[in-house]
Amino acid sequence: MMEYAKNLSQRLTPQSAKLPGTSQVANSAGGFTWKLDAWGRLDRLLILGTEGGTFYVGERELTIGQAENAIKLIQTDGESVVQRVCEISESGRAPKNDPAIFVLALAAAFGDAATKRAAFEVLPKVARTGAHLLKFAAEADELRGWGRAMRRAVGSWYVEQTPAQLAYQSLKYQQRNGWTQRDLLRLAHPKAPTSEHDGVFKWITQGDADQAGPQIEAFEKLKRIEDIAEAAELIVEHRLPREAIPTQMLNEPEVWEALLQNMPMTAMIRNLATMSRVGLLTRKSKAEKEIVGRLTDASLLRRARVHPLQVLIALRTYASGHGLRGRGTWSPVRSVTDALDGAFYKAFASVEPTGKRIMLAIDVSASMGWTPVAGSPMTAAEGAAAMAMVTLATENDVQTMGFAHTFKTLGLTAGMPLNTALKKTRKTIFGATDCALPMQNALKQSLEIDLFVVLTDNETWYGKQHPSEALLEYRRRSGIDAKLAVVAMAANPFSIADPEDPGMMDFVGFDASIPQALREFALA
Ligand code: CA
């Protein structure tokens, strides 16, 4: 006999239907999930960006959806949006600064007078380098054009740098996104506050280096030098960055040895492969000792605001021994890959274990093997595995599982090399998505779990029960008031976490502050 109530029971609502009495919406895979609130969506944009799109939605469509959401927020509470942009940009929580610059340009274009003023006021805090400023100019030029306020803000950026900072920034970032420092200076036309500024301005706008200061003078001199030892000396003495070096010198190990002396941490991490390729960074070399020393220094890493995702990308590329687009081959030095492995964990602020029983469940369905993380060459599944490794390294009572439409063992263990963890995850990618499996599986196996951490793109659709309902059922039948942390690996607007239940919460994947945030949630 048919049981009428059974058809209404939330426990048995398939993911392809909306949970009765909730505000769920269809996700891109045709399953029903909650729609994240506008501020949550903004955070996903600021931290994950939309570069590369997702498995379901192209980059353009994802960007338009996110921009519309941001504009709506800017028009209702623009000053808070500017503040949020500033907070996330300055804290170094996001792998890339580009989304912050984009939202700042949106605020400068679509905000009311007070919002525009706020956006221009924080410009130097968000656009911390010449590259950031060029990027902002390119975005703002498309969105709003150059008004008086924009000219003044860009002009102040130049005026507020010291002459030495300005020389360095304009040597390092001469052009980006079709814009040059010369374009910006000519449009903004700021009045030079000192004669040293005036000298740098003249070099930028007219190429006249006479009064541009010692670093730019050295840069001009370097163009005429042929002797490598002499060039190296000039590079060290004037702290010239790689971007200021003539191309034909960039295959010389002596030049790289000179560059390494004053190389910023992020540049060093990006150039490891090149330094090995040119023969500077080899086993038992002086450079090896220097580089490993810096990579293992936690305070250096933090001061340089190195984001863990940058380290992970560098590790994955460097250890592979060949460039992405056929940019040569090299022999990776083992101590360097080991140091990068350690640096990944150090780039997160360290946290104490919670003592909770934790289940880390990684969505390894097909979409996770395709969606890029924060516009990087890493996939969402790889990103999720790396985040799982951070929890494994901290907590004492953790189990991991992979899932798609069925359960898969991943075999991740604490201390396993990150590259092995990524490889294992890549090999596991399969099938459709059922985000209820972690809770159902724990129940079936009588596992005692306080916190389920589900790392996913929230495109669940396959299962016969919603993940939120699976959690409620787990709580009911186990007697444990278990929580669900959803770590979102794609910047879409969906979440499997019920916003009405304080025991379920949404987090943004590859936010550098995730370990603290998860800890607070677990202990709350
Ligand atoms: Ca999927």
Side-chain angles (χ1 to χ4, degrees), residues 18-32:
K18 181 173 148 176
L19 270 178
T22 69
S23 56
Q24 283 191 328
V25 297
N27 63 24
S28 305
F32 278 78

Side-chain angles (χ1 to χ4, degrees), residues 407 437-447 473-474 477:
F407 166 82
L437 276 175
M439 284 68 74
Q440 291 168 344
N441 190 65
L443 205 49
K444 210 183 286 168
Q445 294 189 40
S446 308
L447 303 176
E473 190 179 350
Y474 179 83
R477 288 176 48 189

Side-chain angles (χ1 to χ4, degrees), residues 29 55-56 363-368 431-433 456-457 459-461:
F55 178 76
Y56 293 98
D363 178 349
V364 288
S365 67
S367 60
M368 291 286 287
T433 319
T456 179
D457 57 7
E459 300 283 17
T460 192
W461 59 277

